Amino acid sequence: MGSIIEVRQVNKAFGALQVINDCSIQVEEGSITGLIGPNGAGKSTLFNLIAGTFAPDSGRIHFAGEDITAVPSDQLFHRGLLRTFQIAQEFSHMTALENLMMVPPQAGENIFNTWLRPALVHEQELHVRQKAMDVIEFIGLKHVRNELAGNLSGGQKKLLELGRTMMVNARVVLLDEIAAGVNRTLLQDLIRNIQRLNQEMGYTFLVIEHDMDMIAQLCNPVIVLAQGSVMVEGSIEAIQNNQEVIEAYFGNDAH
């Protein structure tokens, strides 16, 4: 289907530390692409560059054929480029359902609409609530929809964060270590939901993950980042059998 994200010869330094070094990657539309590598390889920085949190020092980033190098993250969000975080960022004093309802912009956020167009505000709130109910059932959290999000388990919070991407018209979702702190049962729920979003709704995913079992289940291709540059790209089987990767980055953990 062609590339939906293209990173072209991007560089990023923080002071004297060169974190991203002449890095180029492509993410094919409709794929679940893995991004792996040791701590300090630059994975999260690359995510932040793609998501508009940072601007690169040089190089270009394209999304769906448009140059987004200088586009801030809030504008990219509304274009359908979203990211999750290693530590879930829920509104802890709101219910799980309310967390989902907070995502899409609503007419009621404008005080004039509240005064002058109350019927529109009410109709939109009902629509958003119904969508949130559909999403929370999809991700398997209907039984905790009225629970404060701060009381959810780590895995449930990750499912909720995935659900938040469904409340807008997402095209690409950047997943940053979504398996961290998640028990094996809920991890399988996460994997199934990611696969369903990919297969049924056409989401493209770029996944940072240290859990190689999850990468093996989900991702093709897999990109190995090292010292801010692409070391190798291919199937997980090819990556796991690449002697250079094994020796430099996985050691005994590769098997």
Side-chain angles (χ1 to χ4, degrees):
M1 297 179 66
S3 299
I4 192 166
I5 291 177
E6 293 185 31
V7 176
R8 301 176 182 172
Q9 296 179 304
V10 161
N11 290 276
K12 182 65 179 178
F14 296 96
L17 180 62
Q18 188 73 33
V19 180
I20 302 296
N21 184 24
D22 196 30
C23 182
S24 297
I25 70 168
Q26 293 187 10
V27 177
E28 296 299 308
E29 187 170 6
S31 71
I32 305 178
T33 299
L35 183 64
I36 65 174
N39 290 331
K43 301 183 300 296
S44 290
T45 299
L46 184 58
F47 258 34
N48 284 326
L49 292 170
I50 295 170
T53 307
F54 305 142
D57 298 330
S58 61
R60 311 305 297 176
I61 300 171
H62 288 76
F63 170 54
E66 295 185 18
D67 191 326
I68 60 166
T69 309
V71 178
S73 57
D74 59 330
Q75 293 184 31
L76 294 177
F77 176 89
H78 292 295
R79 296 189 193 185
L81 176 57
L82 287 69
R83 70 160 297 173
T84 67
F85 295 87
Q86 183 176 353
I87 300 174
Q89 299 188 344
E90 75 285 350
F91 297 102
S92 59
H93 297 296
M94 301 177 72
T95 67
L97 188 66
E98 290 168 342
N99 266 261
L100 295 179
M101 293 177 66
M102 285 289 291
V103 177
Q106 299 184 46
E109 295 172 2
N110 185 318
I111 192 169
F112 294 105
N113 284 332
T114 305
W115 290 344
L116 303 176
R117 307 173 74 186
L120 172 65
V121 172
H122 180 65
E123 181 181 354
Q124 193 174 63
E125 285 179 350
L126 290 177
H127 173 75
V128 170
R129 181 178 179 83
Q130 183 57 55
K131 184 168 185 177
M133 289 291 291
D134 294 341
V135 168
I136 211 160
E137 184 166 2
F138 182 97
I139 60 177
L141 292 182
K142 186 177 180 180
H143 61 296
V144 292
R145 66 184 183 275
N146 295 320
E147 183 66 59
L148 293 179
N151 295 336
L152 301 181
S153 71
Q156 289 171 332
K157 290 178 181 179
K158 294 293 181 71
L159 282 168
L160 184 63
E161 185 149 299
L162 186 63
R164 288 167 66 177
T165 71
M166 298 176 62
M167 292 299 296
V168 293
N169 296 320
R171 296 186 65 185
V172 176
V173 180
L174 312 178
L175 297 178
D176 193 350
E177 296 198 35
I178 199 167
V182 179
N183 68 48
R184 306 312 294 181
T185 299
L186 281 178
L187 180 58
Q188 290 306 309
D189 290 341
L190 271 171
I191 289 171
R192 281 192 294 271
N193 277 306
I194 292 166
Q195 290 171 328
R196 286 184 64 193
L197 287 170
N198 173 253
Q199 295 164 8
E200 297 174 20
M201 299 186 183
Y203 279 35
T204 300
F205 289 95
L206 180 59
V207 184
I208 290 177
E209 190 51 64
H210 286 295
D211 188 317
M212 288 299 105
D213 290 337
M214 182 175 180
I215 289 289
Q217 282 186 260
L218 273 180
C219 299
N220 186 29
V222 178
I223 300 168
V224 180
L225 206 64
Q227 298 178 340
S229 300
V230 174
M231 181 180 186
V232 65
E233 177 179 350
S235 69
I236 187 62
E237 293 82 6
I239 297 297
Q240 288 176 322
N241 290 303
N242 184 296
Q243 196 60 37
E244 185 181 6
V245 174
I246 292 170
E247 292 175 359
Y249 299 103
F250 296 116
N252 294 330
D253 294 332
H255 304 287

